[in-house]
Structures are given as structure tokens and as C-alpha cells.
């Protein structure tokens, strides 16, 4: 009958009303500044830049590729690339951001910058007390304020950080393997060049050489030297 | 002429003039509402409480809404540049003639000669009883007319809907 | 003892007479009437806005508790640790709305935009002038047209709503105004028709006489409030429903549905003008409740005619009943979701209107059969005549609305 649903609803809300007074278990909220609930693992508020070394500025993973700057929907990231290069965590020479600013008042916490970054260098923080009394300068967060260590990331998002660390480990391993292979190839090429030279000197053919695992030549000299050998 | 009468009459006439001369249609409608309210005030001054409040209920509460809805639904409220009428004098003379006829008729009738209001105040109860006995035919005719008008409106609205399907 | 309580009952009236006596004897007559009017208006302007202020806090606290939250409980006396359970909140809110910037959109029609809140608040305040708050405590007694005055003045708020919505030059404002007007016009009919039953029974439009008409007793102690009759009970429920719609309260708060049209017709108002809209809305609700109390709940009469109840001053009864109704409205707001526009209109025209018409017939029969037929038979017949159409109409309405099928919630 019309109205019974309303009455049932009213009984329910009356139960909530009375219950919330003598049964604290029912309450879904806490009195905030005094009481706090630990943030949920997949909470996200505002991005930060991950660094690996003691000195935040030296160890920033960001390579200033500006992908995040282009992808950010409200366009709140501002990056200036460096002129010089420096070694990144896998020892490769890379650019780094001279300026990396995010406008706190514009960021909408969408996490798209995190999704697009190919270098695992920008992540979301769970810090939510971001209010500021300076409404112009204080809301523009620069790279010094943005830089946070990988330990911090592991602490706030353990699951995600594990995945990210694993991905990075794979990258590093690859890079190391490549570097090793490069070194070996270089050595081999050098040896071959030497052998060739010797052979040329001796005017005698050289026995079969085991094929190298086709390393990318690291120097034009080695390439020209390795080509006839292959 | 007492002060309250002067205020109310001035307000009524002033808002009526505004209703004719303002450029924006909605402003005109709002001024017209003020005229209605002023008329209600005049009725109240004449001790005709029931008529006065009914005037407010019907005209300020309902008819005005009808007018503004009609304006909003039919045309743009933006004022146009061309003058509202081409020859105001025709309208003015017609209005003056109508007013004169009515005024003369009122003055010629016995009501015009009466100076004070009748001693016995008409209560709402007698008003209702009169409506239901002596004047029941006009009342019913009016009710029929309104019902017919409403049915007509409903039929127009319904046809529109089917046509659009 | 009873003497003392009678004095307490008449306290506001005595106080006014006392203050009037302070006027020098040579005061001209017009000044006397002005002073008298001011003395009458001041308590109304003090009590009801204060009640509004307290209601905003109580409403937030109540809604919080209904949703298993704590609700506002911090703002108390400034610079101290006294929190007063958050009841200082309304002062802070008032100060905030007073000192906030008053933004008027550039495209707005400035004059109409400015006049709309005033044109809304004044009629709402005027409706209070005919409500009898206590014994001999009605600011303006209109023996012929009290109820008509209330409805006439109340109806003119619709135009103010239109003014606000139209002058803002904002589609949400205009949509909100259109919704509000359509709703108010539709629900005014059941509202007036449900009050008409009382007019029929009491034979007068004067609100004071209507209260006095309920002063008789059943069985020697139970006051015969109109609520204690079949038509009165149903009439009261219909009245409350229509009143909620008139006052834009949940579940009829479509004109200001935040999720759809921001704040409806007062979207473009800020600062103190916004506060005036807020105030007018609540004052309108209180006035509607006051009218409902006068028509059906015996006005300032106590429920039973026994000593401790009759000692309580009449104006306390009125304010107590008013508070109870406000609590009921807050409770409803915490319970019911918002209706859809077609449901809203369907409810007014297909359910409320037929019910009020049937109720009119039942009231007429009740009136005719008074004295001739046994009270029990009158009750049974009257009740059946209302319950059966209710059941049928309710079924029809529910069928027209249709059962909602959820994809996940079921
Ligand atoms: S979270 Fe979204 S809005 Fe914020 S900086 Fe990243 S991409 Fe931009
Ligand atoms: S944060 Fe990532 S995507 Fe953005 S510039 Fe640095 S490396 Fe590129």
C-alpha cells in the first residue's frame, strides 16, 4: 500500500538516529583533527616525484620527457628541461628537470600523470592536509617540495611500489646485461681487430669465430671492425 | 482624499503606466502585477476584504504567473528597437472613451449617488449564500465556461503530443 | 496556582499593555497605533528567525545522526572551550553570510535581481500576521477573511520566485523557478481544498474562531481537535504533504535539486541575499506548520483538558507543536529521496486532488450526520469512505509510477 514504504523508511532512520547515540560502532565518521583514520592504501591526493639517492635533487628519476605535462588534463604541470645530461639510476645519460612545478589548486588528483610516465618517476601521495595560507606562491609546488624518496612510496603504497620496483629491477637488469654485453662485445671486437691485424700481418686466415650475440655496436670503430668478422 | 488612498492610487496608476510603456515584456508583466496589488489595496480601503484578498490570490498569485509563462513560452523577452505602437493617439482616445462611458454609467447609477457605504457589512457567509441561491445560474455558467476552456486546452496539448510522435 | 499560570499565559499581552502604558498621554493616535504595531511585530521578528537559526543547526545534527554521522558539534562560545553542542554554529553562519561578497551576475537584470529576495521575504512575514500564537495573541484578527489572507499572501511568493529565477539570466535559475512555480501552483489546490474542510466545519474563515471551535471536549477531557476525526486526520496528512511541497521540502525539493540544477532559482545569489532566501524558505515552512496547527491540531489548545496540561501557557503549546512538526519535517528529509518531476505532478493531480475532494464529501457527511447518527457508525463509515479510495488511488499511483528495477542493488 502507498505509504508503508515511507513508514518503514522512517523507522529505519529513527533507528539510526537513536542508535548513533549509544552505539559508537555505528558511526562512520570520527572527530577529525583529534582522531584520525590511517589513509587507505589506494588513496591518492597529489603527485610527488620519486628519488632514489640521498640527495633528492640528484636522484630524481624524472628525465623531463614532458609526457605528463602534455597529458595532464587541466595542464597544471610545468617543466623546464636541463641543457646538460646526467646519469640516471641505470647509469644512462639523461636530461633532468630544472623546473618541475605542479599547481596544487588546479590538479584534480586524476593520476593520469602517473599512468603515462614511462620512468616510474611520478606517483600519487596520500597526504591530504594540503591547505596553505599563501594563495599564490604557496599553491605552486616546486620540485624540491615534490621530491620524496622511494622509501616513502613503499610505505604509502606497498603493493603498487612492489610492482614498480620489480619493473625497475627488470629495467636495471636489462640495462646491466646490455652494458655487460656491450663491454664484452667491445672487448671481443677489440680482440678481433687485434687478431685481424695480426692475421693481416701474418697473412694467414683465422679459424672460425663463435658468433657474438649481436650486440649493438657502441662505437663506429668497433662496428666497422666487427662487420667482417660476423 | 486620504493619504493612504493617494498612495495606493498613485502606485496603481503609476505601475499601470509603467506596464504600458516599459520595453521589456517581463518588466511590463511585473508592473502589471503591481497594478493588480494596488487594485486589491483599493478594495481593502473600501472595506471589501473578501474581494481584495481574492484579487490578490487570483491575480497576483495565478494570473500573473499565467502572463509571465505566456511571455516566456511565446517570445523573446529582449526589447526590440521599434516603438511599441505606431499611433498611440488611437489607443489613448479609445481608452478615454471607454473610461468616460463607464464613469458616466457609474455616476448615473444609484451607486454613484450613495455617499457612505451601507451600514450592514456584507459577511463572507452571506456572499456565499447569495452565490449559491440568487446568483447560482451565472456561477454555474461561468464554471461551465471555465471547464470548457480547460478541456479545450487539454485537447490542444494532447493533439500536439500525438502529432509530434 | 492556576491563577499564576493564567498570568504566565497572558504574559506577552500584559507586557505589551505595560509598554503601551509608558507612552505619554498626549501621544497622537497614529503614533499609538504605530507603537502598538511595532510592539506586536517585534516578538514575531525575534522568535521565528531565532527558531529558524536553531532549526538549521538541529537539522544538520539530526540529519547527521540519521546518517550515522556526528554532525556539527564544535562552534560554541568564541574564545572559550565551551562548545554548547555546536549550537553557536548559526551565529557563525550569520556573520559569514553578512560579510560575504554579494556577487551579481553581469548579465542579470539588476533591479529585479535585487527586489526578488525582498519580494519573497515580505509576503512570508505577512502570513504570520493572522496566525493565532496563543490566547488573545493574534497580531491581526481578520474575522471575515483570516484564512483567505494567509493563502492570498502566500500565493504571491510564486512571483518572487519567478523574479529571482528570471532575473539571474542563468539556465539553472530559470529551470528552478519554472519547477518551483509549477509545483507551487499544483500543490496550492490540494492545500486549499484540504483546509476547506475545516472552514466547512467551523463555518468561518477566521483562524481564531477555528481554534475556538476545537475547544470543546470528547468524553469530558479530550479536546476535539479536528485531527481526532476521520476527515481531520486525513485532511491533516494531505495538508502536510501539500505544505511540504509548497515549502520546497524533501521529497518535493526539486526546485533546488543540487544534483541537477545547483541551487535552483537562487543559484546566482550569494551572501546576505542568499541568506534571505534561506530564511524565507524556512519561515514559509514554519508558517505552513503554524497554519496546520491552527486548522487541525487545535492551535494553542492543549491536547487534554486536565490540570497540568492546562497550566502550560497557550503560546508554549503553539511553539511546542510547531517544534514537533519541524522535527517531523527534518525526519522526513532524512528519510525520503527526491521525487521526479512527472511523479510530482502525477502525485498532485492523480492522488492528492481526488483525495481532498473525497475528504470534502466525507467532512460534509460528518457535519450533516452530527447528532443524528451514533458516533461509532460515523467513525466507521467516514473511515471506510476515506480508506478505500486511499487504497485504490494509492494502487493506481504506484502502478503508474511502476516498480523500479535495479541492476545491482537488488
Ligand atoms: S594528478 Fe592529474 S591533474 Fe594532477 S598533475 Fe597529475 S595529471 Fe595533472
Ligand atoms: S614525471 Fe615522468 S612523464 Fe613527467 S617529465 Fe618526468 S619522466 Fe616524463
Amino acid at each position: 500500500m502507498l505509504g508503508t514504504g515511507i513508514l518503514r523508511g522512517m523507522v529505519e532512520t529513527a533507528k539510526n538516529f537513536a542508535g548513533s547515540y549509544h552505539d559508537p560502532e555505528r558511526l562512520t565518521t570520527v572527530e577529525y583533527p583529534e582522531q584520525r583514520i590511517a589513509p587507505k592504501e589506494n588513496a591518492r591526493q597529489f603527485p610527488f616525484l620519486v628519488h632514489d639517492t640521498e640527495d633528492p635533487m640528484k636522484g630524481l628519476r624524472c628525465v623531463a620527457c614532458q609526457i605528463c605535462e602534455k597529458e595532464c588534463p587541466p595542464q597544471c604541470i610545468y617543466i623546464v628541461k636541463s641543457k646538460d645530461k646526467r646519469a640516471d639510476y641505470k647509469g644512462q645519460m639523461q636530461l633532468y628537470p630544472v623546473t618541475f612545478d605542479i599547481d596544487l589548486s588546479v590538479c584534480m588528483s586524476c593520476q593520469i600523470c602517473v599512468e603515462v610516465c614511462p620512468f616510474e618517476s611520478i606517483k600519487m601521495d596520500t597526504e591530504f592536509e594540503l591547505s596553505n595560507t599563501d594563495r599564490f606562491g604557496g599553491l605552486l609546488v616546486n620540485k624540491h617540495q615534490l621530491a620524496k624518496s622511494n622509501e616513502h612510496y613503499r610505505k604509502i603504497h606497498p603493493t603498487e611500489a612492489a610492482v614498480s620496483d620489480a619493473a625497475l629491477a627488470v629495467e636495471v637488469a636489462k640495462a646491466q646485461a646490455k652494458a655487460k654485453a656491450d663491454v664484452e662485445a667491445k672487448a671481443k671486437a677489440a680482440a678481433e681487430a687485434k687478431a685481424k691485424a695480426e692475421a693481416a700481418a701474418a697473412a694467414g686466415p683465422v679459424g672460425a669465430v663463435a658468433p657474438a650475440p649481436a650486440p649493438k655496436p657502441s662505437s663506429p670503430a668497433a662496428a666497422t671492425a666487427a662487420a667482417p668478422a660476423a | 482624499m486620504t493619504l493612504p488612498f493617494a498612495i495606493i492610487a498613485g502606485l496603481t496608476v503609476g505601475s499601470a503606466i509603467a506596464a504600458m510603456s516599459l520595453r521589456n515584456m517581463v518588466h511590463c508583466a511585473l508592473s502589471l502585477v503591481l497594478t493588480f496589488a494596488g487594485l486589491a489595496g483599493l478594495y481593502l480601503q473600501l472595506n471589501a476584504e473578501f474581494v481584495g484578498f481574492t484579487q490578490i490570490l487570483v491575480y497576483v498569485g495565478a494570473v500573473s504567473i499565467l502572463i509571465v509563462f505566456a511571455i516566456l513560452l511565446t517570445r523573446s523577452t529582449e526589447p526590440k528597437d521599434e516603438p511599441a505602437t505606431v499611433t498611440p493617439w488611437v489607443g489613448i482616445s479609445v481608452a478615454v472613451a471607454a473610461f468616460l462611458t463607464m464613469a458616466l454609467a457609474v455616476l448615473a447609477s444609484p451607486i454613484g449617488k450613495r455617499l457612505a457605504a451601507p451600514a450592514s457589512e456584507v459577511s463572507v457567509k452571506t456572499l456565499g449564500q447569495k452565490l449559491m441561491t440568487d446568483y447560482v445560474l451565472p456561477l454555474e455558467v461561468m464554471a461551465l465556461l471555465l471547464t470548457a476552456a480547460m478541456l479545450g486546452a487539454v485537447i490542444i496539448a494532447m493533439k500536439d503530443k500525438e502529432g509530434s510522435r | 496556582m492556576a491563577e499564576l499560570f493564567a498570568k504566565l499565559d497572558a504574559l506577552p499581552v500584559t507586557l505589551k499593555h505595560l509598554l503601551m502604558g509608558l507612552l505619554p498621554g498626549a501621544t497622537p493616535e497614529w503614533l499609538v497605533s504605530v507603537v502598538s504595531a511595532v510592539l506586536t511585530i517585534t516578538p514575531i521578528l525575534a522568535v521565528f528567525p531565532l527558531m529558524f537559526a536553531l532549526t538549521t543547526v538541529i537539522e544538520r545534527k539530526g540529519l547527521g545522526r540519521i546518517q550515522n554521522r556526528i554532525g556539527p558539534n564544535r562552534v560554541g562560545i568564541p574564545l572559550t572551550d565551551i562548545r554548547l553542542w555546536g549550537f553557536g554554529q548559526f551565529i557563525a553562519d550569520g556573520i559569514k553570510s553578512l560579510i560575504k561578497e554579494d556577487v551579481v551576475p553581469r548579465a542579470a537584470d539588476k533591479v529585479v535581481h535585487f527586489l526578488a529576495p525582498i519580494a519573497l521575504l515580505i509576503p512570508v512575514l505577512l502570513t504570520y500576521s493572522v496566525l493565532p500564537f496563543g490566547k488573545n495573541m493574534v497580531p491581526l484578527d481578520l474575522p471575515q477573511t483570516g484564512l483567505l489572507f494567509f493563502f492570498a499572501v502566500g500565493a504571491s511568493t510564486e512571483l518572487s520566485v519567478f523574479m529571482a529565477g528570471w532575473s539571474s539570466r542563468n539556465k539553472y535559475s530559470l529551470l528552478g523557478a519554472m519547477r518551483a512555480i509549477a509545483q507551487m501552483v499544483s500543490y496550492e489546490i490540494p492545500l486549499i481544498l484540504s483546509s476547506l474542510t475545516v472552514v466547512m466545519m467551523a463555518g468561518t474563515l477566521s483562524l481564531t474562531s477555528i481554534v475556538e471551535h476545537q475547544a470543546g471536549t470528547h468524553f469530558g477531557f479530550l479536546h476535539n481537535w479536528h485531527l481526532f476525526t476521520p476527515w481531520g486526520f486525513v485532511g491533516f496528512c494531505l495538508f502536510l504533504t501539500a505544505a511540504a511541497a509548497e515549502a520546497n521540502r524533501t521529497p518535493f525539493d526539486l526546485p533546488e535539486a543540487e544534483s541537477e540544477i545547483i541551487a535552483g532559482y537562487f543559484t546566482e545569489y550569494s551572501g546576505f541575499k542568499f541568506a534571505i532566501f534561506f530564511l524565507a524558505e524556512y519561515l514559509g515552512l514554519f508558517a505552513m506548520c503554524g497554519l496546520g496547527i491552527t486548522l487541525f491540531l487545535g492551535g494553542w489548545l492543549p491536547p487534554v483538558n486536565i490540570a497540568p496540561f492546562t497550566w502550560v501557557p497557550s503560546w508554549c503549546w503553539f511553539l511546542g507543536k510547531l517544534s514537533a512538526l519541524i522535527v517531523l519535517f527534518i525526519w522526513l528529509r532524512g528519510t525520503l529521496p527526491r521525487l521526479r518531476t512527472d511523479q510530482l505532478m502525477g502525485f498532485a493531480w492523480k492522488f492528492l486532488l481526488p483525495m481532498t475532494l473525497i475528504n470534502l464529501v466525507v467532512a460534509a457527511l460528518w457535519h450533516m450526520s452530527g447528532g443524528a447518527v451514533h458516533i461509532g457508525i460515523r467513525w466507521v463509515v467516514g473511515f471506510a469512505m476515506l480508506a478505500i479510495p486511499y487504497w485504490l488511488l494509492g494502487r493506481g499511483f504506484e502502478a503508474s509510477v511502476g516498480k523500479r528495477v535495479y541492476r545491482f542493488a537488488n
Side-chain angles (χ1 to χ4, degrees):
Chain A
M1 203 168 73
L2 187 71
T4 46
I6 296 177
L7 289 181
R8 250 183 293 145
M10 288 183 76
V11 170
E12 191 64 37
T13 45
K15 267 189 213 150
N16 277 353
F17 182 83
S20 67
Y21 274 102
H22 58 75
D23 181 10
E25 285 294 292
R26 276 172 169 272
L27 292 178
T28 50
T29 52
V30 294
E31 300 209 44
Y32 158 61
E34 293 91 26
Q35 296 170 319
R36 282 152 187 279
I37 306 173
K40 294 269 184 311
E41 191 189 328
N42 41 9
R44 61 174 200 235
Q45 291 298 330
F46 189 65
F48 69 93
L49 295 174
V50 188
H51 67 81
D52 293 307
T53 49
E54 279 301 302
D55 182 1
M57 283 313 104
K58 287 227 177 77
L60 280 187
R61 289 181 190 169
C62 175
V63 298
C65 69
Q66 291 182 313
I67 294 177
C68 56
E69 188 184 28
K70 296 210 175 66
E71 292 282 339
C72 170
Q75 292 285 302
C76 63
I77 304 180
Y78 174 71
I79 300 172
V80 175
K81 281 188 199 174
S82 63
K83 295 263 166 2
D84 55 329
K85 289 192 176 185
R86 69 176 188 203
D88 70 350
Y89 61 95
K90 28 185 197 188
Q92 231 164 12
M93 294 310 278
Q94 293 278 20
L95 296 171
Y96 61 92
V98 177
T99 312
F100 196 115
D101 292 340
I102 304 184
D103 193 334
L104 179 55
S105 58
V106 179
C107 172
M108 60 186 193
S109 312
C110 65
Q111 205 179 354
I112 284 178
C113 48
V114 176
E115 299 294 340
V116 297
C117 177
F119 299 91
E120 305 281 339
S121 58
I122 189 164
K123 295 291 168 197
M124 294 305 272
D125 206 347
T126 50
E127 170 71 44
F128 57 90
E129 284 156 318
L130 298 166
S131 59
N132 204 305
T133 47
D134 175 7
R135 80 170 141 144
F136 300 108
L139 293 178
L140 195 66
V141 186
N142 61 28
K143 69 171 180 177
H144 298 274
Q145 291 156 297
L146 285 171
K148 284 179 190 153
S149 69
N150 199 23
E151 264 60 65
H152 175 74
Y153 181 44
R154 286 190 190 126
K155 209 170 79 201
I156 57 174
H157 297 305
T159 327
E160 222 183 278
V163 176
S164 153
D165 281 350
L168 279 182
V170 169
E171 288 278 309
V172 170
K174 252 197 220 157
Q176 275 170 357
K178 208 168 94 183
K180 220 166 117 194
D182 274 359
V183 170
E184 273 171 14
K186 231 188 217 166
K188 202 185 268 165
E192 269 171 24
K194 213 171 128 197
K196 217 169 153 190
E198 274 168 14
V206 188
V209 179
K216 234 206 283 160
S218 50
S219 71
T224 43
Chain B
M1 197 156 76
T2 57
L3 186 67
F5 173 78
I7 294 174
I8 294 175
L11 195 78
T12 313
V13 174
S15 59
I17 291 172
M20 287 189 304
S21 49
L22 284 179
R23 311 303 326 236
N24 191 320
M25 285 294 275
V26 174
H27 287 173
C28 294
L30 293 178
S31 318
L32 192 64
V33 174
L34 207 58
T35 316
F36 291 152
L39 278 183
L42 288 180
Y43 290 143
L44 291 183
Q45 275 233 310
L46 295 171
N47 267 345
E49 272 180 28
F50 185 77
V51 184
F53 293 140
T54 314
Q55 163 93 7
I56 293 182
L57 182 64
V58 174
Y59 280 87
V60 179
V63 172
S64 61
I65 295 297
L66 210 65
I67 294 174
V68 291
F69 261 63
I71 292 171
L72 281 191
L73 294 181
T74 48
R75 61 151 84 194
S76 138
T77 55
E78 297 304 323
K80 293 205 190 71
D81 276 341
E82 75 227 31
T85 63
V86 190
T87 50
W89 296 110
V90 179
I92 290 177
S93 51
V94 168
V96 167
F99 177 75
L100 277 184
T101 325
M102 285 227 283
L104 287 178
V106 170
L107 286 179
S109 74
I111 305 170
K113 299 202 176 60
R114 208 168 57 202
L115 288 177
S120 71
E121 225 179 85
V122 187
S123 77
V124 179
K125 218 171 202 163
T126 43
L127 214 69
Q129 263 154 5
K130 278 264 191 263
L131 267 183
M132 277 316 196
T133 51
D134 295 0
Y135 297 97
V136 73
L137 190 65
L139 184 79
E140 290 301 321
V141 169
M142 234 138 67
L144 200 68
L145 187 73
L146 287 180
T147 315
M150 201 162 82
L151 284 180
V154 168
I155 286 168
I156 289 173
M158 274 192 352
K159 256 198 187 139
D160 231 32
K161 208 172 158 193
E162 272 164 19
S164 69
R165 264 187 200 153
Chain C
M1 197 67 174
E3 194 78 336
L4 183 75
F5 285 113
K7 282 230 177 71
L8 201 62
D9 187 3
L11 184 69
V13 183
T14 330
L15 214 62
K16 185 186 161 187
H17 281 300
L18 219 73
L19 286 172
M20 292 293 287
L22 291 182
L23 284 180
T27 330
E29 202 178 320
W30 62 268
L31 192 63
V32 173
S33 52
V34 165
V35 171
S36 158
V38 168
L39 284 181
T40 315
I41 294 167
T42 316
I44 297 178
L45 285 188
V47 169
F48 289 97
L50 183 72
M51 217 161 160
F52 152 71
L54 289 176
T55 306
T56 55
V57 183
I58 293 173
E59 178 154 31
R60 277 182 238 173
K61 287 178 85 75
L63 288 182
R65 287 293 170 176
I66 281 174
Q67 295 159 3
N68 284 324
R69 289 184 289 113
I70 298 172
N73 63 351
R74 295 208 172 234
V75 187
I77 298 168
L79 307 178
T80 61
D81 268 351
I82 306 165
R83 278 189 176 181
L84 295 176
W85 305 280
F87 275 96
Q89 185 74 49
F90 70 88
I91 302 174
D93 285 348
I95 295 172
K96 185 191 86 174
S97 67
L98 262 178
I99 60 178
K100 255 178 117 166
E101 183 185 0
D102 175 29
V103 185
V104 180
R106 196 182 308 146
D109 193 312
K110 302 273 179 325
V111 180
V112 183
H113 190 266
F114 175 78
L115 284 178
I118 306 171
L120 183 66
L121 186 61
I122 289 178
V124 168
L125 283 176
L126 276 180
T127 53
Y128 282 84
S129 57
V130 287
L131 290 180
F133 302 109
K135 214 179 276 174
N136 304 323
M137 282 170 59
V138 50
L140 175 72
D141 194 10
L142 296 171
Q144 291 291 327
T145 49
L147 189 64
L148 186 67
F149 176 87
F150 189 96
F151 285 131
V153 172
S156 45
T157 55
E158 284 159 26
L159 201 71
S160 325
V161 167
F162 169 79
M163 281 164 73
W166 176 78
S167 66
S168 300
R169 293 287 169 97
N170 174 319
K171 59 185 168 187
Y172 298 120
S173 299
L174 196 58
L175 276 177
M178 290 294 202
R179 282 185 180 190
I181 293 169
Q183 172 177 328
M184 282 163 133
V185 168
S186 307
Y187 278 82
E188 205 156 79
I189 298 162
L191 187 77
I192 294 181
L193 281 181
S194 59
S195 335
L196 262 189
T197 52
V198 175
V199 177
M200 252 165 59
M201 302 306 273
T204 171
L205 282 169
S206 154
L207 293 177
T208 333
S209 318
I210 287 176
V211 174
E212 275 153 12
H213 185 255
Q214 304 177 58
T217 48
H218 291 302
F219 321 116
F221 70 96
L222 192 65
H223 269 304
N224 53 9
W225 292 2
H226 292 143
L227 185 71
F228 304 145
T229 54
W231 60 267
F233 180 72
V234 173
F236 180 63
C237 296
L238 294 170
F239 181 89
L240 268 197
T241 316
E246 280 287 290
N248 296 340
R249 289 288 302 190
T250 331
F252 307 107
D253 60 346
L254 287 99
E256 48 209 74
E258 296 90 344
S259 48
E260 300 153 27
I261 49 174
I262 309 179
Y265 51 87
F266 50 86
T267 301
E268 291 292 1
Y269 284 88
S270 53
F272 200 60
K273 287 185 195 155
F274 177 83
I276 288 184
F277 274 103
F278 207 42
L279 173 73
E281 187 158 295
Y282 274 81
L283 286 188
L285 177 73
F286 296 168
M288 279 292 168
C289 291
L291 187 67
I293 291 166
T294 310
L295 292 180
F296 296 99
L297 300 187
W300 36 262
L301 293 168
V304 289
N305 199 7
I306 320 176
F309 289 96
T310 49
W311 287 349
V312 178
S314 56
W315 40 276
C316 285
W317 276 116
F318 185 88
L319 289 181
K321 288 173 192 174
L322 185 54
S323 317
L325 282 187
I326 292 169
V327 166
L328 177 71
F329 273 115
I330 294 175
W331 188 2
L332 277 173
R333 179 172 173 188
T335 307
L336 298 179
R338 187 181 298 134
L339 260 67
R340 223 167 46 205
T341 308
D342 59 328
Q343 293 170 342
L344 179 92
M345 290 297 156
F347 188 65
W349 295 104
K350 294 183 199 151
F351 181 79
L352 279 187
L353 188 63
M355 274 313 286
T356 46
L357 290 176
I358 293 167
N359 198 26
L360 265 182
V361 175
V362 172
L365 282 183
W366 182 274
H367 190 57
M368 302 290 198
S369 62
V373 189
H374 186 262
I375 179 99
I377 299 173
R378 278 166 88 198
W379 256 94
V380 171
V381 172
F383 197 74
M385 279 184 68
L386 287 165
I388 294 167
Y390 173 80
W391 186 66
L392 289 175
L393 282 171
R395 258 188 25 167
F397 179 68
E398 279 182 335
S400 77
V401 170
K403 189 159 166 53
R404 188 112 172 230
V405 183
Y406 296 93
R407 275 174 63 216
F408 301 111
N410 281 343

